[in-house]
Amino acid sequence: GAGVSQSPRYKVAKRGQDVALRCDPISGHVSLFWYQQALGQGPEFLTYFQNEAQLDKSGLPSDRFFAERPEGSVSTLKIQRTQQEDSAVYLCASSWKQGPSYEQYFGPGTRLTVT
Amino acid sequence: AQSVAQPEDQVNVAEGNPLTVKCTYSVSGNPYLFWYVQYPNRGLQFLLKYITGDNLVKGSYGFEAEFNKSQTSFHLKKPSALVSDSALYFCAVRDDSNYQLIWGAGTKLIIKP
């Protein structure tokens, strides 16, 4: 079956521009996560949704970052007024249920470069 | 606080030899442990997990991992390495009270023919 998809795969933005990153989770998956991954590092948690409810946004680095999942499926991560330090790979993951024992399935990521 | 340590930045193994990638963790509750692999320009792929029960967990591509509660370790192993196993490997942990996955920094595995 189809896995998690993300678009665009690559995004170059000029400093100060707004960007929107899309995630299509596996159909039927309840939980959705966004992570930020710097080169050669492990992912860093950004935010978590259970269906359409954003239950944790404690990892969002600033109020320029905003995420939504209005219908409980597709999610969008928006970054306003991008800065160079926002350059990273943004990973989306989904799992079919809430709970610590359920593994997460990851998309290929969106590589954001801010110039 | 939860944490994961992968003490080796890089592990080099000859093809056909056994491999081990180390991981130690710290959680306050019951640990749920995961291994993922990342190939260049690709997303993270789930390999295996430990939830409860048997300490030896088998996963994809011939990998297995051994949970050791007293040493708080969850090392990844494979009896005979393949060149195609060369990739970046991440260990991650969460506990009962937290759905956030805490990740190690990753270990680059290089298998030489």
Side-chain angles (χ1 to χ4, degrees), chain A residues 8 10 22 25-26 35 42 90 98 115:
Chain A
Y10 303 91
R22 178 187 167 105
I26 294 172
Y35 293 89
Y90 290 86
Q98 186 190 6
T115 61

Side-chain angles (χ1 to χ4, degrees), chain A residues 63-110:
Chain A
D63 59 7
R64 296 186 294 105
F65 286 71
F66 171 77
E68 60 183 6
R69 193 186 185 198
E71 296 178 359
S73 55
V74 171
S75 177
T76 304
L77 176 67
K78 298 179 179 178
I79 309 173
Q80 297 176 324
R81 304 180 304 283
T82 52
Q83 304 293 315
Q84 284 194 318
E85 61 262 29
D86 299 335
S87 295
V89 176
Y90 290 86
L91 297 171
C92 175
S94 68
S95 64
W96 79 288
K97 269 191 172 183
Q98 186 190 6
S101 64
Y102 296 98
E103 62 271 23
Q104 297 174 22
Y105 293 90
F106 283 79
T110 294

Side-chain angles (χ1 to χ4, degrees), chain B residues 9 13 19 24 28 44 54 62 69 78 81 92 95 97 100 107 109:
Chain B
D9 290 338
V13 178
L19 69 88
T24 58
S28 52
L44 290 150
D54 200 350
K69 187 174 183 179
K78 187 173 182 181
D95 66 18
S97 63
Q100 284 190 33
T107 298
L109 178 63

